[in-house]
Amino acid sequence: MFILDEYLNKDCIAIGNFPLCQLLLKNDKKYPWFILVPRRNDTIEVFDLLPDEQHQMWAEVTTFSEILKADFKADKINIGTLGNIISQLHIHVIARRKDDATWPASVWDKLPAEPYEQNEIEAIKAHLQKIMPVTFSFK
Amino acid sequence: MFILDEYLNKDCIAIGNFPLCQLLLKNDKKYPWFILVPRRNDTIEVFDLLPDEQHQMWAEVTTFSEILKADFKADKINIGTLGNIISQLHIHVIARRKDDATWPASVWDKLPAEPYEQNEIEAIKAHLQKIMPVTFSFK
């Protein structure tokens, strides 16, 4: 059974699952900031995944990036996997806008998170219900 | 003919080419910090590449990540593609160490670059000559 890192679990809202990755919404309303986590325990670097899993993970990241860019009015998608603090492999996919809090700098190590209100989370989930591919399952 | 962005050209040292991506060394000796640039003009987001090109790019990033982790004494590989300032698609691959200048924070928007001396660049190139796969061509 896949076990999500406790800090990812605490800082994010679970949205659902791609065939390989769990999709999380980071609880920081400054940006549409999502995190994809391959459901494989004991995985730290991308190359810890099997080649087919790497391919699947990047395909899911790219599919989701394209959706984010189109539907969340992004000027640029930022993708990153750092893992210096949380070692479980996770990929940030962030819709950046030229008027967001830290543009054109990165999102990391900048401002404290601004948690969503519950109704804002529900609105994002409802929007995602309309636009996610059929291979994605909400839970 | 592929044209490298002028700022990438100015801030980096060209090392050679994977089948798809040009490999650059960022001229900042605080970290072993490399950048892979798919040799495709007018490409901004990952999904601007054809699916086969995306697959090839990530395969090159992963191959290189594994080499970096093993041969540059890294504690963690950081991978990121932001493009908020330089729009030409480019992927950062950075060997992070627990004693480096900004660990565990990200490398972006932190400290000014510390350029290499020429002999240090030559030493890195000589080391890479020994460890890069046969699909990589130095120029």
Side-chain angles (χ1 to χ4, degrees):
Chain A
M1 194 188 73
F2 172 66
I3 300 171
L4 183 65
D5 173 273
E6 63 179 315
Y7 293 99
L8 290 174
N9 190 48
K10 184 171 69 66
D11 293 343
C12 300
I13 297 122
I15 300 294
N17 290 290
F18 288 99
L20 177 59
C21 296
Q22 183 171 4
L23 179 67
L24 308 172
L25 170 67
K26 189 160 161 69
N27 194 6
D28 181 354
K29 62 180 171 182
K30 289 195 305 300
Y31 322 89
W33 181 343
F34 294 85
I35 298 177
L36 279 78
V37 187
R39 296 192 304 283
R40 294 288 180 270
N41 291 317
D42 304 320
T43 302
I44 294 175
E45 301 284 1
V46 174
F47 54 78
D48 293 336
L49 294 172
L50 299 170
D52 281 356
E53 293 172 331
Q54 294 173 24
H55 188 184
Q56 179 65 27
M57 179 190 79
W58 291 123
E60 293 175 3
V61 165
T62 305
T63 296
F64 186 64
S65 300
E66 199 157 7
I67 289 170
L68 262 195
K69 182 133 187 203
D71 279 280
F72 283 76
K73 300 182 180 65
D75 293 304
K76 186 70 188 71
I77 298 298
N78 288 182
I79 298 170
T81 176
L82 287 74
N84 305 337
I85 296 169
I86 296 173
S87 67
Q88 183 175 70
L89 179 63
H90 60 287
I91 317 291
H92 301 267
V93 182
I94 309 139
R96 302 299 308 275
R97 296 170 184 148
K98 290 180 180 175
D99 63 357
D100 73 26
T102 54
W103 179 275
S106 78
V107 299
W108 295 288
D109 328 304
K110 296 295 185 307
L111 302 168
E114 289 177 33
Y116 287 101
E117 302 296 330
Q118 191 59 38
N119 66 320
E120 295 171 320
I121 294 169
E122 296 310 322
I124 290 173
K125 284 183 176 173
H127 184 61
L128 289 172
Q129 293 270 3
K130 294 180 197 157
I131 61 177
M132 293 295 277
V134 293
T135 52
F136 186 83
S137 72
F138 292 87
K139 55 174 192 174
Chain B
M1 194 188 73
F2 172 67
I3 299 171
L4 183 66
D5 173 272
E6 62 178 314
Y7 294 99
L8 289 175
N9 190 47
K10 184 170 69 66
D11 294 344
C12 300
I13 298 121
I15 300 293
N17 289 289
F18 287 99
L20 177 59
C21 296
Q22 183 171 3
L23 179 66
L24 308 172
L25 170 66
K26 190 161 160 69
N27 195 6
D28 182 354
K29 63 181 172 181
K30 288 195 303 300
Y31 320 89
W33 180 342
F34 293 86
I35 298 177
L36 278 78
V37 187
R39 296 192 304 281
R40 294 287 180 272
N41 292 315
D42 304 320
T43 301
I44 293 175
E45 301 284 2
V46 174
F47 54 78
D48 293 336
L49 294 172
L50 298 170
D52 282 355
E53 293 172 331
Q54 295 173 23
H55 188 183
Q56 179 66 27
M57 181 191 77
W58 291 123
E60 293 174 2
V61 165
T62 305
T63 296
F64 187 63
S65 299
E66 200 157 4
I67 290 170
L68 261 194
K69 182 133 184 202
D71 279 280
F72 283 76
K73 301 182 180 64
D75 292 305
K76 185 70 186 72
I77 297 299
N78 287 184
I79 297 170
T81 175
L82 287 73
N84 305 338
I85 296 170
I86 295 174
S87 67
Q88 182 174 71
L89 178 62
H90 60 287
I91 317 292
H92 302 267
V93 182
I94 309 140
R96 301 298 309 275
R97 296 170 185 148
K98 291 180 180 174
D99 62 357
D100 74 25
T102 54
W103 180 273
S106 78
V107 298
W108 296 287
D109 327 304
K110 296 295 185 309
L111 301 168
E114 289 178 32
Y116 287 102
E117 302 295 330
Q118 191 57 39
N119 66 317
E120 294 171 318
I121 294 169
E122 295 309 321
I124 290 173
K125 284 183 175 174
H127 184 61
L128 289 171
Q129 292 271 2
K130 294 181 198 156
I131 61 177
M132 293 295 277
V134 293
T135 52
F136 186 83
S137 71
F138 292 87
K139 57 175 189 174

